[in-house]
Amino acid sequence: MSLNKDFGEYGGQFVPETLMNTLKTLEKEYEEYCSSDEFKNDYMKYMKYYVGRPSVLYYAERLTEMCGGAKIYLKREDLNHTGAHKINNAIGQALLAKHMGKTKVIAETGAGQHGVATATAAALFDMECEVYMGVEDIERQKLNVFRMELLGAKVIPVASGTGTLKDATNEAIRTWAARAEDTFYIIGSVVGPHPYPTMVRDFQRIIGDETKKQVMEIEGRLPDKIFACVGGGSNSMGIFYPFIEDKNVELIGVEAAGLGVETGEHASAFAEGRTGILHGMKTCILQDDDGLIKTAYSISAGLDYPGVGPEHAYFRDTGRVKYTSVTDDESIEAFKTLCRYEGIMPAIESSHALAEALKTVPKMKKDEIAIVNLSGRGDKDVHTVAKYLGKEF
Amino acid sequence: MNRIDQKFEMMKSKGEKAFIPYVCGGDPSLSETEEIIYMLEDAGCHIIEVGIPFSDPLADGPVIQAASSRAIENGFKLDKFFETVKNIRKKSDVALVAMVYYSTIFGYGKEKFIKNCENAGFDGIIVPDLPYEEYDEISSLIESTSIYCIPLIAITSGERMPMLVKNAKGFIYCVSSLGVTGERKTFDKRIFSFINKIKEQTDTPVCVGFGISKKEDVEMFEKDADGVIIGSAIVRKIFESNGNLENVKTFIKEINQ
């Protein structure tokens, strides 16, 4: 195998023996099929005609004026079909599942965005779909549950543990271990056992590949800074990865600081976590002295995850990517700012990246360029923002 | 000599098969875990598997998940757990095997964990989320102690099986079926020939676990295997007994006649 299962000291395959042959087969099929022209053509066809790619790189003129610093560009992943970057990966994995002869797909979901993307891909490719979702999240995200059901998916409530994304992921892995013969597990982020972090990164790097091409066309040069939010870290890995070798481009990953890192109510693995094992990978994780996984908190359900993709942990160690965090309050402020200044309603996840950019950009020079990955649209978050602002319907 | 080897030797000389119960440490409390272990030994068990509760037990079904949650909610801490095992060791010579997720070992500190296991008097560990490919994480630490790391083998292991059993010590944990721990109505028919295939490759005893809950299951697997492991059924019985361990003892005697 030419694929490496580790990113420095991170990554690996910490799963039960029952899954090892399944992972080996997946790795082999991924390597062979996904590097073929047949796959690349199919994938790009769906990206263009179904997802609506390339997503535009938009110059946010009013926002730039307001900040009075570098030029701000937004990579508009929110304009994709289903409203976020998640569809890029769901289509890639569903194509692979189909090629491998699987008739069923399963997925985990927190806020429901990856669940909706997987349900969408399953409908498109005529596959059965089950989405595992924590009971707490089902309660918080009723609309997305109904969306998945309309798309023909079955939403399986997970009551174990804390009833959130991490528990839904456990249950999806357990189910997969029992049914791998006919079932493909579509993981939604750059997490899980090898080869998932690599595979999801490769299906999301289209964001960065396009961005590079677009900024070269518009500005004739590479940007100075790129901002993206990090939960598990798929949209950030997607936009960062093609720039990794471009050492003059500063890459900034923004985690959720929730109520503030000092309160303990946050989802910032890099602020307070240490190396550990979760969901089949070794990475940076929020845990206690006994290795018990801590519950993460963020107003943004998509960033509410106690770990982070293993390759991010590697980029943190090498210093190639700088990681920071912003609070609930700061992200909602950024959400409101983008609504008012640009008429764009971002997802609360993406608002975290934006919040960090809004802090940094005024300190940058006017001839510099900052790009924010607007990973998803905020329609799904309207009720959360309303609740935060004390509005009732 | 490792107690696991001693016990198998003793059972072999008597023509007995191993009946290995699993209990979740700290469910409902560490003092009760201690009592449960004495009871199990008294009921004729020579090897006992003690689960270390974890917040995200990937390989476990609902019964053991719930037991782990109860133990954690009741304040389970590893340091106290090792103290309890040390106490047990003062009174009991039963072979003790810890079932522990690698997350716990790594999170607690792997050097410290393995050393404390040995000092407390454990004879082996079973690590469900540490496959062969990742075993070098702890191999040298294990080899520097008297503890065995019991390998898990599944029907899906296929051509991996000879590699997995090659250096097996203590016993081999053969996973009866796909998926997680927990009671099952039926078993994969391929399991019996698979047990015999393993036995062709190794002299290390082979014990079957996952889904075994009834007397009929025990009898069925004991024909081919050297022992059985029963987890969820016992954990459930302990929970339902509400402190009356005589009920659990009766249950164990019934299924292990």
Side-chain angles (χ1 to χ4, degrees), chain B residues 199-222:
Chain B
K199 291 182 71 80
E200 282 167 22
Q201 296 278 333
T202 176
D203 293 329
T204 308
V206 179
C207 298
V208 184
F210 278 44
I212 298 173
S213 63
K214 302 185 294 289
K215 189 173 187 309
E216 301 87 83
D217 302 340
V218 175
E219 284 172 354
M220 180 171 73
F221 284 112
E222 281 187 345

PDB file of all heavy atoms in Angstrom, chain B residues 199-222:
ATOM      1  N   LYS B 199      -7.500 -23.825  15.970  1.00  0.00           N
ATOM      2  CA  LYS B 199      -6.841 -24.836  16.801  1.00  0.00           C
ATOM      3  C   LYS B 199      -5.777 -25.624  16.028  1.00  0.00           C
ATOM      4  O   LYS B 199      -4.836 -26.140  16.620  1.00  0.00           O
ATOM      5  CB  LYS B 199      -7.882 -25.762  17.431  1.00  0.00           C
ATOM      6  CG  LYS B 199      -8.719 -25.037  18.496  1.00  0.00           C
ATOM      7  CD  LYS B 199      -9.722 -25.931  19.182  1.00  0.00           C
ATOM      8  CE  LYS B 199      -9.073 -26.937  20.101  1.00  0.00           C
ATOM      9  NZ  LYS B 199      -8.698 -26.347  21.409  1.00  0.00           N
ATOM     10  N   GLU B 200      -5.962 -25.664  14.712  1.00  0.00           N
ATOM     11  CA  GLU B 200      -4.935 -26.315  13.889  1.00  0.00           C
ATOM     12  C   GLU B 200      -3.642 -25.504  13.875  1.00  0.00           C
ATOM     13  O   GLU B 200      -2.557 -26.031  13.657  1.00  0.00           O
ATOM     14  CB  GLU B 200      -5.427 -26.460  12.440  1.00  0.00           C
ATOM     15  CG  GLU B 200      -6.396 -27.618  12.244  1.00  0.00           C
ATOM     16  CD  GLU B 200      -7.093 -27.525  10.883  1.00  0.00           C
ATOM     17  OE1 GLU B 200      -6.548 -26.860   9.961  1.00  0.00           O
ATOM     18  OE2 GLU B 200      -8.195 -28.099  10.752  1.00  0.00           O
ATOM     19  N   GLN B 201      -3.778 -24.189  14.095  1.00  0.00           N
ATOM     20  CA  GLN B 201      -2.620 -23.290  13.983  1.00  0.00           C
ATOM     21  C   GLN B 201      -1.875 -23.100  15.296  1.00  0.00           C
ATOM     22  O   GLN B 201      -0.782 -22.561  15.316  1.00  0.00           O
ATOM     23  CB  GLN B 201      -3.084 -21.901  13.512  1.00  0.00           C
ATOM     24  CG  GLN B 201      -3.693 -21.862  12.139  1.00  0.00           C
ATOM     25  CD  GLN B 201      -2.629 -21.810  11.054  1.00  0.00           C
ATOM     26  OE1 GLN B 201      -1.534 -21.323  11.277  1.00  0.00           O
ATOM     27  NE2 GLN B 201      -2.942 -22.316   9.888  1.00  0.00           N
ATOM     28  N   THR B 202      -2.504 -23.443  16.421  1.00  0.00           N
ATOM     29  CA  THR B 202      -1.905 -23.079  17.710  1.00  0.00           C
ATOM     30  C   THR B 202      -2.290 -24.060  18.815  1.00  0.00           C
ATOM     31  O   THR B 202      -3.337 -24.707  18.740  1.00  0.00           O
ATOM     32  CB  THR B 202      -2.355 -21.660  18.126  1.00  0.00           C
ATOM     33  OG1 THR B 202      -1.823 -21.374  19.422  1.00  0.00           O
ATOM     34  CG2 THR B 202      -3.859 -21.515  18.178  1.00  0.00           C
ATOM     35  N   ASP B 203      -1.440 -24.128  19.834  1.00  0.00           N
ATOM     36  CA  ASP B 203      -1.753 -24.929  21.016  1.00  0.00           C
ATOM     37  C   ASP B 203      -2.349 -24.070  22.129  1.00  0.00           C
ATOM     38  O   ASP B 203      -2.779 -24.577  23.154  1.00  0.00           O
ATOM     39  CB  ASP B 203      -0.478 -25.606  21.551  1.00  0.00           C
ATOM     40  CG  ASP B 203       0.037 -26.643  20.564  1.00  0.00           C
ATOM     41  OD1 ASP B 203      -0.811 -27.239  19.859  1.00  0.00           O
ATOM     42  OD2 ASP B 203       1.262 -26.836  20.479  1.00  0.00           O
ATOM     43  N   THR B 204      -2.341 -22.762  21.934  1.00  0.00           N
ATOM     44  CA  THR B 204      -2.924 -21.852  22.922  1.00  0.00           C
ATOM     45  C   THR B 204      -4.438 -22.091  22.972  1.00  0.00           C
ATOM     46  O   THR B 204      -5.076 -22.216  21.922  1.00  0.00           O
ATOM     47  CB  THR B 204      -2.642 -20.389  22.521  1.00  0.00           C
ATOM     48  OG1 THR B 204      -1.237 -20.262  22.290  1.00  0.00           O
ATOM     49  CG2 THR B 204      -3.063 -19.417  23.601  1.00  0.00           C
ATOM     50  N   PRO B 205      -5.018 -22.160  24.181  1.00  0.00           N
ATOM     51  CA  PRO B 205      -6.467 -22.408  24.276  1.00  0.00           C
ATOM     52  C   PRO B 205      -7.285 -21.358  23.522  1.00  0.00           C
ATOM     53  O   PRO B 205      -6.896 -20.184  23.465  1.00  0.00           O
ATOM     54  CB  PRO B 205      -6.742 -22.322  25.784  1.00  0.00           C
ATOM     55  CG  PRO B 205      -5.433 -22.566  26.446  1.00  0.00           C
ATOM     56  CD  PRO B 205      -4.385 -22.066  25.508  1.00  0.00           C
ATOM     57  N   VAL B 206      -8.396 -21.791  22.957  1.00  0.00           N
ATOM     58  CA  VAL B 206      -9.275 -20.891  22.214  1.00  0.00           C
ATOM     59  C   VAL B 206     -10.607 -20.769  22.950  1.00  0.00           C
ATOM     60  O   VAL B 206     -11.285 -21.777  23.182  1.00  0.00           O
ATOM     61  CB  VAL B 206      -9.528 -21.424  20.785  1.00  0.00           C
ATOM     62  CG1 VAL B 206     -10.468 -20.483  20.019  1.00  0.00           C
ATOM     63  CG2 VAL B 206      -8.212 -21.598  20.034  1.00  0.00           C
ATOM     64  N   CYS B 207     -10.966 -19.545  23.332  1.00  0.00           N
ATOM     65  CA  CYS B 207     -12.240 -19.313  24.012  1.00  0.00           C
ATOM     66  C   CYS B 207     -13.115 -18.427  23.139  1.00  0.00           C
ATOM     67  O   CYS B 207     -12.632 -17.529  22.468  1.00  0.00           O
ATOM     68  CB  CYS B 207     -12.018 -18.650  25.364  1.00  0.00           C
ATOM     69  SG  CYS B 207     -11.040 -19.677  26.469  1.00  0.00           S
ATOM     70  N   VAL B 208     -14.433 -18.713  23.180  1.00  0.00           N
ATOM     71  CA  VAL B 208     -15.359 -17.988  22.313  1.00  0.00           C
ATOM     72  C   VAL B 208     -16.197 -17.013  23.132  1.00  0.00           C
ATOM     73  O   VAL B 208     -16.697 -17.367  24.204  1.00  0.00           O
ATOM     74  CB  VAL B 208     -16.301 -18.970  21.582  1.00  0.00           C
ATOM     75  CG1 VAL B 208     -17.201 -18.219  20.601  1.00  0.00           C
ATOM     76  CG2 VAL B 208     -15.500 -20.020  20.850  1.00  0.00           C
ATOM     77  N   GLY B 209     -16.346 -15.814  22.636  1.00  0.00           N
ATOM     78  CA  GLY B 209     -17.179 -14.821  23.309  1.00  0.00           C
ATOM     79  C   GLY B 209     -18.001 -14.021  22.324  1.00  0.00           C
ATOM     80  O   GLY B 209     -17.890 -14.230  21.114  1.00  0.00           O
ATOM     81  N   PHE B 210     -18.839 -13.125  22.814  1.00  0.00           N
ATOM     82  CA  PHE B 210     -19.794 -12.273  22.078  1.00  0.00           C
ATOM     83  C   PHE B 210     -21.091 -13.059  21.846  1.00  0.00           C
ATOM     84  O   PHE B 210     -21.115 -14.011  21.064  1.00  0.00           O
ATOM     85  CB  PHE B 210     -19.264 -11.786  20.713  1.00  0.00           C
ATOM     86  CG  PHE B 210     -18.360 -10.568  20.780  1.00  0.00           C
ATOM     87  CD1 PHE B 210     -17.375 -10.486  21.742  1.00  0.00           C
ATOM     88  CD2 PHE B 210     -18.490  -9.515  19.881  1.00  0.00           C
ATOM     89  CE1 PHE B 210     -16.526  -9.386  21.820  1.00  0.00           C
ATOM     90  CE2 PHE B 210     -17.644  -8.391  19.946  1.00  0.00           C
ATOM     91  CZ  PHE B 210     -16.660  -8.335  20.917  1.00  0.00           C
ATOM     92  N   GLY B 211     -22.127 -12.671  22.534  1.00  0.00           N
ATOM     93  CA  GLY B 211     -23.455 -13.211  22.253  1.00  0.00           C
ATOM     94  C   GLY B 211     -23.835 -14.467  22.994  1.00  0.00           C
ATOM     95  O   GLY B 211     -24.938 -14.980  22.810  1.00  0.00           O
ATOM     96  N   ILE B 212     -22.940 -15.003  23.834  1.00  0.00           N
ATOM     97  CA  ILE B 212     -23.269 -16.252  24.521  1.00  0.00           C
ATOM     98  C   ILE B 212     -24.045 -15.924  25.800  1.00  0.00           C
ATOM     99  O   ILE B 212     -23.590 -15.140  26.624  1.00  0.00           O
ATOM    100  CB  ILE B 212     -21.977 -17.033  24.850  1.00  0.00           C
ATOM    101  CG1 ILE B 212     -21.273 -17.376  23.527  1.00  0.00           C
ATOM    102  CG2 ILE B 212     -22.282 -18.281  25.664  1.00  0.00           C
ATOM    103  CD1 ILE B 212     -19.908 -17.986  23.703  1.00  0.00           C
ATOM    104  N   SER B 213     -25.230 -16.519  25.943  1.00  0.00           N
ATOM    105  CA  SER B 213     -26.059 -16.125  27.083  1.00  0.00           C
ATOM    106  C   SER B 213     -26.793 -17.290  27.746  1.00  0.00           C
ATOM    107  O   SER B 213     -27.332 -17.143  28.829  1.00  0.00           O
ATOM    108  CB  SER B 213     -27.090 -15.082  26.641  1.00  0.00           C
ATOM    109  OG  SER B 213     -27.960 -15.639  25.681  1.00  0.00           O
ATOM    110  N   LYS B 214     -26.837 -18.445  27.088  1.00  0.00           N
ATOM    111  CA  LYS B 214     -27.661 -19.543  27.612  1.00  0.00           C
ATOM    112  C   LYS B 214     -26.837 -20.824  27.771  1.00  0.00           C
ATOM    113  O   LYS B 214     -25.774 -20.969  27.188  1.00  0.00           O
ATOM    114  CB  LYS B 214     -28.812 -19.829  26.636  1.00  0.00           C
ATOM    115  CG  LYS B 214     -29.718 -18.654  26.350  1.00  0.00           C
ATOM    116  CD  LYS B 214     -30.893 -19.038  25.469  1.00  0.00           C
ATOM    117  CE  LYS B 214     -30.476 -19.439  24.060  1.00  0.00           C
ATOM    118  NZ  LYS B 214     -30.006 -18.308  23.228  1.00  0.00           N
ATOM    119  N   LYS B 215     -27.409 -21.731  28.539  1.00  0.00           N
ATOM    120  CA  LYS B 215     -26.795 -23.041  28.750  1.00  0.00           C
ATOM    121  C   LYS B 215     -26.543 -23.746  27.407  1.00  0.00           C
ATOM    122  O   LYS B 215     -25.487 -24.333  27.185  1.00  0.00           O
ATOM    123  CB  LYS B 215     -27.746 -23.876  29.610  1.00  0.00           C
ATOM    124  CG  LYS B 215     -27.194 -25.178  30.122  1.00  0.00           C
ATOM    125  CD  LYS B 215     -28.211 -25.771  31.098  1.00  0.00           C
ATOM    126  CE  LYS B 215     -27.744 -26.991  31.838  1.00  0.00           C
ATOM    127  NZ  LYS B 215     -27.181 -28.075  31.133  1.00  0.00           N
ATOM    128  N   GLU B 216     -27.538 -23.622  26.491  1.00  0.00           N
ATOM    129  CA  GLU B 216     -27.397 -24.288  25.186  1.00  0.00           C
ATOM    130  C   GLU B 216     -26.196 -23.719  24.400  1.00  0.00           C
ATOM    131  O   GLU B 216     -25.494 -24.455  23.717  1.00  0.00           O
ATOM    132  CB  GLU B 216     -28.657 -24.116  24.318  1.00  0.00           C
ATOM    133  CG  GLU B 216     -29.938 -24.657  24.913  1.00  0.00           C
ATOM    134  CD  GLU B 216     -30.632 -23.631  25.794  1.00  0.00           C
ATOM    135  OE1 GLU B 216     -31.354 -22.783  25.249  1.00  0.00           O
ATOM    136  OE2 GLU B 216     -30.431 -23.659  27.022  1.00  0.00           O
ATOM    137  N   ASP B 217     -26.018 -22.384  24.506  1.00  0.00           N
ATOM    138  CA  ASP B 217     -24.888 -21.754  23.810  1.00  0.00           C
ATOM    139  C   ASP B 217     -23.576 -22.312  24.358  1.00  0.00           C
ATOM    140  O   ASP B 217     -22.666 -22.656  23.610  1.00  0.00           O
ATOM    141  CB  ASP B 217     -24.869 -20.230  24.032  1.00  0.00           C
ATOM    142  CG  ASP B 217     -26.140 -19.541  23.566  1.00  0.00           C
ATOM    143  OD1 ASP B 217     -26.862 -20.148  22.740  1.00  0.00           O
ATOM    144  OD2 ASP B 217     -26.400 -18.419  24.016  1.00  0.00           O
ATOM    145  N   VAL B 218     -23.502 -22.385  25.691  1.00  0.00           N
ATOM    146  CA  VAL B 218     -22.278 -22.848  26.338  1.00  0.00           C
ATOM    147  C   VAL B 218     -21.958 -24.266  25.872  1.00  0.00           C
ATOM    148  O   VAL B 218     -20.831 -24.565  25.446  1.00  0.00           O
ATOM    149  CB  VAL B 218     -22.423 -22.792  27.877  1.00  0.00           C
ATOM    150  CG1 VAL B 218     -21.197 -23.401  28.555  1.00  0.00           C
ATOM    151  CG2 VAL B 218     -22.627 -21.356  28.349  1.00  0.00           C
ATOM    152  N   GLU B 219     -22.972 -25.120  25.913  1.00  0.00           N
ATOM    153  CA  GLU B 219     -22.755 -26.519  25.510  1.00  0.00           C
ATOM    154  C   GLU B 219     -22.338 -26.622  24.050  1.00  0.00           C
ATOM    155  O   GLU B 219     -21.452 -27.393  23.684  1.00  0.00           O
ATOM    156  CB  GLU B 219     -24.035 -27.326  25.756  1.00  0.00           C
ATOM    157  CG  GLU B 219     -24.226 -27.629  27.232  1.00  0.00           C
ATOM    158  CD  GLU B 219     -25.584 -28.256  27.547  1.00  0.00           C
ATOM    159  OE1 GLU B 219     -26.434 -28.356  26.623  1.00  0.00           O
ATOM    160  OE2 GLU B 219     -25.780 -28.624  28.715  1.00  0.00           O
ATOM    161  N   MET B 220     -22.984 -25.808  23.223  1.00  0.00           N
ATOM    162  CA  MET B 220     -22.700 -25.842  21.784  1.00  0.00           C
ATOM    163  C   MET B 220     -21.236 -25.461  21.491  1.00  0.00           C
ATOM    164  O   MET B 220     -20.559 -26.115  20.719  1.00  0.00           O
ATOM    165  CB  MET B 220     -23.661 -24.870  21.093  1.00  0.00           C
ATOM    166  CG  MET B 220     -23.518 -24.753  19.605  1.00  0.00           C
ATOM    167  SD  MET B 220     -24.880 -23.765  18.931  1.00  0.00           S
ATOM    168  CE  MET B 220     -24.443 -22.126  19.452  1.00  0.00           C
ATOM    169  N   PHE B 221     -20.743 -24.399  22.157  1.00  0.00           N
ATOM    170  CA  PHE B 221     -19.380 -23.945  21.873  1.00  0.00           C
ATOM    171  C   PHE B 221     -18.313 -24.782  22.572  1.00  0.00           C
ATOM    172  O   PHE B 221     -17.200 -24.894  22.079  1.00  0.00           O
ATOM    173  CB  PHE B 221     -19.219 -22.465  22.237  1.00  0.00           C
ATOM    174  CG  PHE B 221     -19.844 -21.542  21.232  1.00  0.00           C
ATOM    175  CD1 PHE B 221     -20.970 -20.786  21.544  1.00  0.00           C
ATOM    176  CD2 PHE B 221     -19.323 -21.449  19.943  1.00  0.00           C
ATOM    177  CE1 PHE B 221     -21.557 -19.959  20.607  1.00  0.00           C
ATOM    178  CE2 PHE B 221     -19.903 -20.617  18.997  1.00  0.00           C
ATOM    179  CZ  PHE B 221     -21.034 -19.876  19.334  1.00  0.00           C
ATOM    180  N   GLU B 222     -18.662 -25.362  23.703  1.00  0.00           N
ATOM    181  CA  GLU B 222     -17.657 -26.136  24.436  1.00  0.00           C
ATOM    182  C   GLU B 222     -17.253 -27.409  23.696  1.00  0.00           C
ATOM    183  O   GLU B 222     -16.226 -28.012  24.010  1.00  0.00           O
ATOM    184  CB  GLU B 222     -18.141 -26.442  25.854  1.00  0.00           C
ATOM    185  CG  GLU B 222     -17.964 -25.231  26.769  1.00  0.00           C
ATOM    186  CD  GLU B 222     -18.257 -25.519  28.225  1.00  0.00           C
ATOM    187  OE1 GLU B 222     -18.875 -26.568  28.506  1.00  0.00           O
ATOM    188  OE2 GLU B 222     -17.865 -24.700  29.072  1.00  0.00           O
TER     189      GLU B 222
END
